Amino acid sequence: MATLHQALSLFALIFFLISGTGADRSTKTTQAIIRGSSRIGAIVDTSSRIGKEVVVAMEVAKEGCYGFGNQTFLHIKDSQKDAIDAALEAKELIDTLQVQAIIGPHTWEEVSLVAEIAREKQVPILSFADTAPEWAAERLPYLLQASPDKRVQMKAIAAIVQSWNWHQVTAIYEDTDSSREPGIYAVQAYDSMRTIALALHKNGSKRGGKELLENILDTDFHGLSGKVKFKNQKVASAEIFQIVNVIGKSYNELGYWSHGVGFSKNIDGNKSKSMIDLGQVHWPGGARDDPNGWTTLRIGVPSSSGYKEYVNVENDGPSGKNFSGFTIEVFKETIKSIPFFPSYDFYGFDEDYNKLVEQIYLKTNHLCCACTFCPQHQNYDAVVGDVEIVASRYNYSEFTSPYTETGLVLIVPAARSSSKAWSFVKPFTTTMWVLISVFTVYNGFVVWWIERKGCDELQGSIPNQIWIMLWLSFNTLLSLNAPKLHSNLSRMSGVVWLFVSLIIIQTYTANLTSMLTVQRLEPTVPSVEELLKSNAKVGYCTGSYMTEYLPRVLKFKPDNLMKYRSAEEYFNGFNKKEISAAFIATPYAKLFLGRYCNRFIQIGETYKIGGFGFAFPRGSPLLASVNEALLKITENGTVQALEKTWITPEKCPEIQSESSSLGPNGFLVLFYITGGTTTAAFVIYVCRTNLSRDRKIWRTISAVPKRWCSLRTPFTTRVASVEIPTHTSPEAPVPPASI
């Protein structure tokens, strides 16, 4: 229905805007009757208390003695709390009733539409809206703000609050439109009527439009709401406020506050920055002491903490309990730098930490009435102690910034390390072993290459030669009695490599000896995963958030979790084999490891948890100041000094750390020398061998031409030159004698 009503109203407004001068004869008759009289319009919500008061105030002003006569008409229209309706009523007031000025409305939504209509007709609007945009003065020149700016008045209230060093105040007001005091609009409406009357009758003129606007802007008088004078189309704010101390049904005038100056007993008296200088103030209830706004705070402290270095609650005879420890001292140092921090008392709490933090919520929300101060339900205004900041506790309170290290670590028993089967390779890194192998084989290859032609033992099949080459390589490295070498080049390479190998062997021996003789600590459990696989039992702090954290986040079975309260209980649990590991907060872990030197070791990652913080009610005004003070004492070294005093772990005798594996960085020069020497020997040998071969080839080549020339000599010459032997013809055989 409201939407339909607004739609119809908007349609009507558009219709009126379009119709323009479409007035009927009855309207013209009405205009003739009221022509020559003073006509003032008003748009208010007549159904509200404010609207009713405004109507009465304007009627009283009309009948008063400010120039209104019988020829003055006051036309009041009901806006019905709707901006469209207000615009329609303004259209009727201007076009039909021809008012010369309009008073109201009270909201900017209504004023913005009414002022647009009034701008076209040049009708001044005196608005009661508290605020208007900066552009309104330029765009809407006929819009005047009759309600003064309240910011100066707020500054006066802020100065009073600051005088008493209050940091939180509660404003009590009636929940009406714009949250203003009842009656103030009526006073402003009365003064607005007087403003228009004075402007209309100035110099005997009753004209409206621009002349009336200028007369209103020139207004300057003291009305019921204070001085009425316009500046930048707004009633100027008061610069001086009187301070009245209400005492029952009477009051006492204390003095004045002036903007930019301060407090004074008289308007022209000596000025002061504090209201305290004005004299005694009578506070409600008859108290003469200046209230600080706080009662004594009840601060809960965990009396069941197993780490007395952090929180220690001791009975102190008839006088009560004594509270000490690192967290207590940090809190005391923190509030020293907060001058307005209220007084407080510490109270011990014997149950778990979650219930302790919950007491803040119970007191804030008044959920424990019958047994508010019984031992089981001691509601607190804050909690101080070794309370860890976790998300689940934010349901009941808020925390300061952490003032200790954050985290959760895993502690397991430590065992002395024993030599392992592959300990002999640890003296050198993998890279070092690779370099040694490469240079050994390289040197052996070069020696074999140089010596192979001069030694029959280095001849044979390819596999035989490969084994001989490897034998030469490692024999040179590991033995001083290397085989006899025939070439100076191979001797040069072998001597340098022998020198380098001696250094490497001695270094290896020394490092291996150190590794085998030094004792070191090793964890008995390597990781969280191993604990989960082995279904081992683990310990955690009683009453802490880890009851939910370990099963939900780290997936431990609830049946495998054991509660312990202190470092001594953890130690006994380890000795009795009740647990294989324990999850301990980082601040506690340092104390535990320092107390039981070299018996336990931290393994794995640090799980990020909130650390220790002070708990306050949600939305507490003290929280920001406490955080700032905590930051200051952290930066100036106060927290570090308290750590040294209260929680410095005991110093344990250090176990000599295991020697680390050696890499090639310390041997690079030696590798360069032996590599360079061997390479030089190899290059020289190859070059010399090739040169000798080249000489034989050259001699062969030069002999070919000579041989060829000898073959080309003439045959006769060669025959003639040959010596021919002389032969005689053979004698005839002598016939045998005849007998």
Side-chain angles (χ1 to χ4, degrees):
M1 292 299 293
T3 304
L4 178 61
H5 173 72
Q6 292 177 352
L8 292 175
S9 299
L10 179 61
F11 174 78
L13 173 62
I14 296 173
F15 174 78
F16 273 113
L17 291 175
I18 295 175
S19 62
T21 58
D24 55 14
R25 292 182 178 179
S26 61
T27 301
K28 293 180 180 179
T29 303
T30 304
Q31 293 174 350
I33 295 174
I34 64 177
R35 187 178 294 114
S37 61
S38 299
R39 301 168 302 282
I40 302 174
I43 301 176
V44 297
D45 176 18
T46 57
S47 63
S48 67
R49 175 180 174 180
I50 292 177
K52 294 175 181 178
E53 292 177 351
V54 167
V55 170
V56 173
M58 289 188 295
E59 292 288 355
V60 171
K62 175 180 175 296
E63 300 299 331
C65 55
Y66 297 119
F68 295 105
N70 294 329
Q71 296 299 316
T72 299
F73 294 91
L74 175 62
H75 303 282
I76 300 174
K77 297 294 183 179
D78 186 5
S79 68
Q80 302 181 26
K81 298 182 181 179
D82 184 80
I84 302 298
D85 284 343
L88 292 173
E89 299 296 349
K91 183 72 174 174
E92 182 180 358
L93 287 173
I94 295 173
D95 291 345
T96 304
L97 301 176
Q98 296 184 359
V99 297
Q100 296 162 296
I102 296 177
I103 298 175
H106 292 80
T107 65
W108 171 248
E109 290 77 9
E110 297 171 345
V111 170
S112 60
L113 293 180
V114 172
E116 286 286 352
I117 298 172
R119 177 173 63 87
E120 298 177 359
K121 302 298 183 178
Q122 296 185 344
V123 176
I125 303 293
L126 273 69
S127 166
F128 296 141
D130 288 337
T131 58
E134 295 293 333
W135 50 263
E138 180 178 357
R139 180 176 174 179
L140 304 171
Y142 284 84
L143 174 61
L144 305 176
Q145 187 171 337
S147 178
D149 192 347
K150 307 303 184 298
R151 285 176 292 184
V152 177
Q153 185 177 1
M154 292 301 102
K155 291 181 180 180
I157 296 175
I160 294 174
V161 172
Q162 187 176 7
S163 296
W164 304 104
N165 205 21
W166 296 332
H167 290 259
Q168 183 185 30
V169 294
T170 301
I172 301 175
Y173 58 91
E174 184 177 358
D175 189 13
T176 58
D177 295 344
S178 300
S179 300
R180 296 287 305 278
E181 290 183 14
I184 186 65
Y185 285 116
V187 173
Q188 292 175 353
Y190 188 94
D191 288 343
S192 297
M193 287 289 292
R194 182 181 177 186
T195 300
I196 296 173
L198 294 175
L200 284 172
H201 293 273
K202 186 176 182 180
N203 301 325
S205 173
K206 293 187 179 181
R207 296 177 59 184
K210 187 175 182 180
E211 181 179 349
L212 177 59
L213 174 65
E214 293 176 352
N215 291 340
I216 292 175
L217 293 176
D218 290 338
T219 301
D220 187 359
F221 67 93
H222 286 278
L224 297 180
S225 62
K227 186 176 181 61
V228 179
K229 181 178 177 62
F230 286 89
K231 181 179 181 181
N232 298 326
Q233 297 180 220
K234 299 178 182 179
V235 172
S237 301
E239 298 290 326
I240 301 175
F241 294 89
Q242 186 176 16
I243 301 174
V244 177
N245 183 193
V246 178
I247 309 171
K249 295 183 179 181
S250 62
Y251 65 92
N252 180 29
E253 297 178 355
L254 295 177
Y256 300 88
W257 179 87
S258 302
H259 183 220
V261 178
F263 298 92
S264 61
K265 285 186 173 294
N266 303 307
I267 294 180
D268 298 327
N270 296 329
K271 302 300 187 291
S272 172
K273 296 296 183 181
S274 175
M275 178 183 165
I276 297 177
D277 297 332
L278 298 183
Q280 178 65 46
V281 177
H282 296 272
W283 303 104
R288 298 185 62 85
D289 296 333
D290 300 332
N292 58 14
W294 300 93
T295 59
T296 300
L297 300 184
R298 293 174 52 86
I299 298 181
V301 178
S303 56
S304 59
S305 174
Y307 295 85
K308 304 305 180 183
E309 296 89 344
Y310 282 92
V311 181
N312 188 20
V313 181
E314 296 178 332
N315 290 325
D316 195 18
S319 60
K321 294 183 177 181
N322 181 44
F323 299 86
S324 61
F326 172 72
T327 61
I328 302 298
E329 296 304 319
V330 170
F331 178 76
K332 291 179 179 179
E333 291 295 328
T334 300
I335 64 173
K336 282 182 181 179
S337 58
I338 307 177
F340 60 86
F341 197 89
S343 59
Y344 62 90
D345 291 322
F346 288 130
Y347 295 87
F349 189 82
D350 295 330
E351 298 187 47
D352 67 49
Y353 285 62
N354 288 333
K355 291 184 178 179
L356 171 60
V357 176
E358 188 179 1
Q359 298 304 307
I360 297 177
Y361 176 80
L362 294 177
K363 180 170 184 179
T364 304
N365 294 274
H366 308 289
L367 298 180
C368 186
C369 301
C371 53
T372 300
F373 299 109
C374 62
Q376 292 78 15
H377 298 280
Q378 301 184 45
N379 302 158
Y380 302 122
D381 300 294
V383 169
V384 173
D386 50 348
V387 180
E388 288 166 305
I389 303 173
V390 291
S392 60
R393 291 173 180 168
Y394 269 86
N395 295 327
Y396 308 112
S397 66
E398 287 188 80
F399 289 87
T400 63
S401 302
Y403 55 88
T404 62
E405 292 183 67
T406 61
L408 180 68
V409 297
L410 180 60
I411 302 298
V412 299
R416 304 291 179 177
S417 64
S418 58
S419 300
K420 297 181 180 180
W422 290 93
S423 296
F424 68 92
V425 299
K426 286 188 175 182
F428 290 146
T429 62
T430 302
T431 305
M432 184 66 177
W433 282 118
V434 171
L435 283 176
I436 292 174
S437 302
V438 169
F439 276 90
T440 299
V441 174
Y442 177 62
N443 280 280
F445 168 76
V446 171
V447 170
W448 169 79
W449 184 268
I450 296 174
E451 295 289 333
R452 65 190 178 90
K453 290 187 177 181
C455 182
D456 295 337
E457 297 177 355
L458 302 181
Q459 304 297 327
S461 62
I462 292 178
N464 183 59
Q465 293 187 56
I466 292 175
W467 284 113
I468 291 174
M469 181 190 68
L470 294 176
W471 174 78
L472 282 173
S473 301
F474 290 97
N475 191 45
T476 304
L477 174 66
L478 302 174
S479 176
L480 295 177
N481 299 319
K484 185 177 181 180
L485 302 177
H486 300 85
S487 173
N488 289 331
L489 292 175
S490 59
R491 293 189 187 108
M492 178 181 68
S493 176
V495 168
V496 175
W497 178 237
L498 179 62
F499 169 74
V500 173
S501 63
L502 286 174
I503 296 176
I504 292 175
I505 291 172
Q506 293 299 321
T507 304
Y508 171 84
T509 304
N511 203 25
L512 179 61
T513 302
S514 175
M515 287 184 173
L516 296 177
T517 56
V518 170
Q519 292 183 336
R520 57 189 181 276
L521 297 177
E522 291 184 349
T524 56
V525 180
S527 64
V528 174
E529 291 73 17
E530 188 65 26
L531 287 171
L532 293 172
K533 289 179 182 178
S534 62
N535 207 32
K537 293 186 180 295
V538 298
Y540 71 97
C541 183
T542 299
S544 71
Y545 63 94
M546 284 187 279
T547 305
E548 300 177 357
Y549 180 84
L550 294 179
R552 178 171 52 86
V553 179
L554 299 183
K555 308 305 179 184
F556 280 93
K557 297 179 180 179
D559 294 340
N560 291 337
L561 301 179
M562 305 287 290
K563 297 180 181 180
Y564 296 96
R565 186 180 297 273
S566 63
E568 291 78 9
E569 292 185 7
Y570 278 120
F571 180 72
N572 293 332
F574 280 117
N575 282 345
K576 296 177 181 179
K577 307 298 181 182
E578 295 176 348
I579 54 175
S580 300
F583 285 95
I584 306 178
T586 302
Y588 298 151
K590 289 184 176 182
L591 293 175
F592 182 82
L593 294 176
R595 185 174 302 175
Y596 302 105
C597 295
N598 305 325
R599 300 185 186 183
F600 301 91
I601 190 171
Q602 174 185 334
I603 66 169
E605 62 180 306
T606 299
Y607 300 93
K608 296 299 181 183
I609 304 296
F612 294 164
F614 305 133
F616 286 87
R618 297 186 63 84
S620 171
L622 295 173
L623 191 61
S625 299
V626 174
N627 271 327
E628 181 182 357
L630 261 178
L631 184 61
K632 289 180 180 179
I633 67 171
T634 301
E635 292 178 350
N636 63 22
T638 303
V639 173
Q640 288 79 358
L642 292 175
E643 287 179 351
K644 292 180 180 180
T645 303
W646 289 94
I647 59 174
T648 300
E650 300 177 13
K651 292 185 178 180
C652 296
E654 295 184 359
I655 293 182
Q656 186 178 356
S657 61
E658 177 185 349
S659 301
S660 60
S661 300
L662 299 177
N665 292 336
F667 302 89
L668 289 179
V669 175
L670 294 176
F671 284 128
Y672 289 149
I673 292 174
T674 184
T677 303
T678 303
T679 302
F682 181 71
V683 171
I684 293 172
Y685 173 77
V686 171
C687 293
R688 188 174 65 181
T689 302
N690 291 338
L691 182 60
S692 177
R693 183 184 303 170
D694 291 343
R695 288 177 180 175
K696 290 180 180 180
I697 293 173
W698 177 255
R699 285 198 298 269
T700 303
I701 293 174
S702 61
V704 170
K706 294 179 180 180
R707 182 64 176 169
W708 183 76
C709 291
S710 63
L711 292 175
R712 288 182 59 86
T713 304
F715 178 76
T716 57
T717 303
R718 287 187 285 117
V719 172
S721 63
V722 176
E723 182 178 356
I724 302 174
T726 303
H727 296 283
T728 59
S729 50
E731 296 180 354
V734 178
S738 59
I739 303 172

